[in-house]
Amino acid sequence: MHETQYKLVRCTINGKKTETMVDVRASLTDMLRNDYRLTSVKKGCEVGECGACNVLIDGECFNSCIYLAVWADGKEIRTLESLLGPNGELSDIQQAFIDETAIQCGFCTPGFIMTAVEILESGKLYTRDELRKLLSGHLCRCTGYENILNAVEKTMKRRLGVAVEK
């Protein structure tokens, strides 16, 4: 009979220092959803193909479904929940997704937004083709991607003080 091993994982999740015992086989998705009830982290394909589970780890986007929870030890993790303001107000990128009707069912949206946060926090001005490539690790079955691209591009340009076409 195989004995399950557990390890203590200490990390910062959305600005809060945490520690929890996790099964060494558990994914970061499972830890975030099951232990911390961070339901913005979606279980999509569970093989790193769809992007629905994307979170920022030390400022870089990862598919949390193929990232072991034990690897998060000592790391800073951010999920979509970290973007809300103190009174529940949406961040500029979340509002842009609404304004550009980039959301239909919403399942893929948190992962897309976390990738967008990484793009926006780089402080770089990307071309539309570069943005398309940076967002290509996501699957969306509803929107056709153009409105998502519009939301990210407009937010990037606003943040960088570049004129946004209407």
Side-chain angles (χ1 to χ4, degrees):
M1 185 134 178
H2 184 267
E3 194 176 309
T4 304
Q5 288 190 351
Y6 288 87
K7 285 209 167 137
L8 183 65
V9 174
R10 290 185 179 98
C11 59
T12 303
I13 301 174
N14 297 334
K16 294 185 180 117
K17 292 204 178 301
T18 65
E19 53 179 64
T20 190
M21 290 297 283
V22 297
D23 183 323
V24 295
R25 302 165 298 177
S27 70
L28 183 56
T29 302
D30 288 335
M31 183 181 92
L32 293 171
R33 288 184 62 82
N34 300 340
D35 297 318
Y36 295 99
R37 301 289 180 245
L38 295 169
T39 55
S40 75
V41 184
K42 302 299 183 203
K43 275 191 159 191
C45 67
E46 296 193 67
V47 292
E49 295 289 326
C50 76
C53 67
N54 271 21
V55 298
L56 290 173
I57 302 171
D58 291 343
E60 189 179 346
C61 238
F62 286 91
N63 295 117
S64 65
C65 70
I66 55 172
Y67 192 99
L68 289 176
V70 293
W71 297 343
D73 194 53
K75 307 273 189 210
E76 182 186 331
I77 297 154
R78 288 164 60 202
T79 68
L80 187 77
E81 286 85 354
S82 73
L83 301 183
L84 283 180
N87 299 310
E89 57 274 13
L90 298 178
S91 66
D92 58 350
I93 186 63
Q94 289 171 296
Q95 189 61 52
F97 266 64
I98 294 167
D99 295 345
E100 296 298 321
T101 58
I103 300 166
Q104 284 183 32
C105 87
F107 192 83
C108 68
T109 306
F112 262 116
I113 289 178
M114 295 315 292
T115 295
V117 168
E118 180 186 31
I119 292 166
L120 296 168
E121 289 181 352
S122 76
K124 295 178 186 165
L125 179 63
Y126 292 101
T127 66
R128 196 162 172 91
D129 282 342
E130 288 170 330
L131 287 175
R132 193 180 308 278
K133 188 168 186 191
L134 290 166
L135 292 166
S136 68
H138 293 271
L139 296 177
C140 173
R141 292 181 172 92
C142 302
T143 67
Y145 302 100
E146 287 305 304
N147 293 349
I148 293 167
L149 198 54
N150 293 342
V152 176
E153 184 179 40
K154 286 181 180 178
T155 305
M156 174 191 68
K157 286 182 174 179
R158 277 191 204 105
R159 284 193 185 185
L160 295 173
V162 175
V164 177
E165 304 85 38
K166 293 282 177 204

